[in-house]
Amino acid sequence: MSIEAKLQEIKSGILKKIEEADNVNVINDIKVSVLGKKGELTQVLKSMKDLPPEERPVVGQMVNSVRAALEEKIAEKTKQISKLMLAEKMKRETIDVTLPGVRKMTGHRHPNQIALQDLERVFIGMGYEVVEGPEIEYDRYNFELLNIPANHPAKDEQDTFYITNDILLRTQTSSVQARIMEKGQLPIKVISPGRVFRSDEVDATHSPSFHQVEGLVVDKGITMADLKGTLDQFAKTFFGNNTKTKFRPHHFPFTEPSAEVDISCFKCGGKGCRFCKGSGWIEILGCGMVHPKVLSDCGIDPEVYSGFAFGIGLERVALLKYEIDDMRLLYENDIRFLQQF
Ligand code: DAH
């Protein structure tokens, strides 16, 4: 077969293959098979050394024109395939904007946290500062400076988690009172929310760890009337304007006089219902005038200064406000429960 016929055979064979190719990889393989180092055209070029010198330029030209024709076809086909592939890809990646979206699950505030922020808002509105104290506390702040003597039952191991003899998990946020007073920056007007710990079994109203919000005001001329007015206002803002408060005499070692405060049941308005166990009243906090001994032990002159304090159980308030009847629900973190608030 003449070289020319051979070249034509190669050309038409390859053109046919290119025509049939349906992806870029096949095209590349074809390209290598004809134009590559060991390709068919390259072989022809190599065999030119066996030709008489005068034929070489003619054959060279023929090879070049076949090469040019093939290269052109390859480029054209590659372009065509790329275009097709792009169109297909675009079709595959079309976004149907009418499909419903995938809703992201976002978390939200825990009932405790909602109650705390509501509560803080009320007191911040009355000019209180929010301060925090440590959960791991010295006996001195949790008990001693609060006029709770060594043999007091609250100090019993059955009520308190001790770490050492004089370091414990605080049993009350009242410990922050002593810390603040000891600093000696007067006047004082703070609330202090935080976690407290007691060696209690878990049940519907008890947990070994719960939260309190402590309040403390110390200034010249603070009286029981200030305490009553403040807590009455708090109850009205927090539980509703019709809420009435009742101060029942009580005992706390660090206040004198001391009281427990009941609010009129916001469910039945005081008539008596399941919620207030028929009494019309619900207990919400403990309070009192800061004991003169506590003031002086903390370095404040009780002849010049006086103050009041109160302690609110946060869970208690949250349970009341959201009408939850079991404290355990607050800690189980069941998403179906938490999503209701
Ligand atoms: N610390 C008390 C308790 O845990 C609550 C309390 C009562 C706090 C009277 C006070 C207060 O500041 O004045 O039971």
Side-chain angles (χ1 to χ4, degrees):
M1 199 195 291
S2 72
I3 287 199
E4 185 172 7
K6 176 138 178 95
L7 281 171
Q8 281 315 315
E9 195 185 78
I10 293 174
K11 185 179 168 186
S12 60
I14 295 295
L15 283 177
K16 187 154 174 269
K17 280 190 187 166
I18 294 174
E19 201 48 60
E20 286 164 359
D22 60 354
N23 75 60
V24 182
N25 289 338
V26 174
I27 296 278
N28 278 337
D29 290 346
I30 296 171
K31 194 173 171 182
V32 171
S33 79
V34 63
L35 305 175
K37 254 192 211 158
K38 290 180 182 159
E40 286 177 90
L41 266 191
T42 320
Q43 295 305 325
V44 176
L45 276 176
K46 279 183 184 161
S47 69
M48 269 176 28
K49 63 179 186 312
D50 304 329
L51 292 176
E54 66 279 11
E55 281 181 31
R56 287 180 195 165
V58 186
V59 173
Q61 226 170 20
M62 284 193 295
V63 171
N64 280 341
S65 89
V66 170
R67 167 194 281 273
L70 291 181
E71 277 176 343
E72 189 184 329
K73 191 68 190 170
I74 285 171
E76 187 186 306
K77 187 72 180 182
T78 307
K79 212 165 154 189
Q80 193 188 334
I81 290 179
S82 308
K83 218 165 152 184
L84 262 171
M85 277 167 56
L86 181 68
E88 229 166 73
K89 188 168 178 230
M90 299 285 270
K91 208 154 125 197
R92 231 183 308 124
E93 292 181 357
T94 318
I95 294 169
D96 182 353
V97 293
T98 64
L99 280 176
V102 183
R103 210 175 275 275
K104 278 227 172 74
M105 260 263 283
T106 48
H108 59 99
R109 293 184 299 159
H110 188 276
N112 257 355
Q113 198 60 25
I114 304 174
L116 176 58
Q117 286 180 354
D118 285 355
L119 212 141
E120 284 182 348
R121 203 170 300 133
V122 176
F123 284 102
I124 289 169
M126 293 197 263
Y128 284 69
E129 188 187 343
V130 181
V131 298
E132 282 186 12
E135 291 174 359
I136 299 172
E137 188 54 286
Y138 290 107
D139 176 286
R140 170 180 160 77
Y141 295 111
N142 195 85
F143 293 128
E144 202 181 306
L145 285 174
L146 295 172
N147 199 26
I148 300 171
N151 56 358
H152 194 282
K155 295 188 67 168
D156 199 294
E157 272 175 50
Q158 289 184 346
D159 297 304
T160 305
F161 294 114
Y162 285 93
I163 292 170
T164 67
N165 260 347
D166 65 341
I167 296 177
L168 45 96
L169 299 183
R170 68 176 174 191
T171 62
Q172 49 184 356
T173 46
S174 304
S175 55
V176 187
Q177 285 190 32
R179 284 182 169 271
I180 297 283
M181 284 191 277
E182 203 186 48
K183 276 191 184 164
Q185 280 168 357
L186 295 155
I188 295 167
K189 198 171 177 185
V190 296
I191 55 168
S192 185
R195 193 185 285 273
V196 299
F197 305 85
R198 288 184 200 175
S199 178
D200 274 331
E201 294 292 333
V202 175
D203 67 22
T205 53
H206 291 86
S207 160
S209 155
F210 57 102
H211 299 77
Q212 292 183 327
V213 180
E214 195 76 14
L216 175 68
V217 173
V218 179
D219 202 349
K220 288 174 183 160
I222 298 290
T223 70
M224 185 94 185
D226 296 311
L227 168 63
K228 291 185 74 176
T230 300
L231 293 179
D232 191 66
Q233 186 55 54
F234 158 68
K236 286 187 164 53
T237 316
F238 195 81
F239 291 105
N241 243 337
N242 294 326
T243 309
K244 290 202 268 306
T245 48
K246 179 166 77 175
F247 287 70
R248 264 185 302 104
H250 200 77
H251 169 78
F252 296 105
F254 37 92
T255 44
E256 180 59 34
S258 304
E260 275 186 341
V261 175
D262 299 342
I263 56 166
S264 56
C265 177
F266 49 87
K267 197 80 179 143
C268 65
K271 284 194 229 62
C273 66
R274 184 186 64 90
F275 217 67
C276 54
K277 298 191 186 95
S279 76
W281 295 95
I282 300 170
E283 179 199 324
I284 59 158
L285 59 84
C287 64
M289 301 306 292
V290 182
H291 198 295
K293 178 161 167 35
V294 173
L295 287 174
S296 60
D297 284 355
C298 291
I300 296 173
D301 184 353
E303 298 295 330
V304 182
Y305 284 93
S306 57
F308 66 76
F310 54 88
I312 306 171
L314 183 64
E315 279 79 359
R316 194 180 174 81
V317 165
L319 296 183
L320 283 173
K321 188 148 179 163
Y322 303 110
E323 300 183 19
I324 304 164
D325 57 10
D326 192 324
M327 187 157 150
R328 285 168 287 199
L329 289 166
L330 290 177
Y331 300 119
E332 280 165 358
N333 285 338
D334 183 332
I335 196 84
R336 291 164 303 178
F337 167 77
L338 293 174
Q339 268 169 345
Q340 297 173 48
F341 304 95

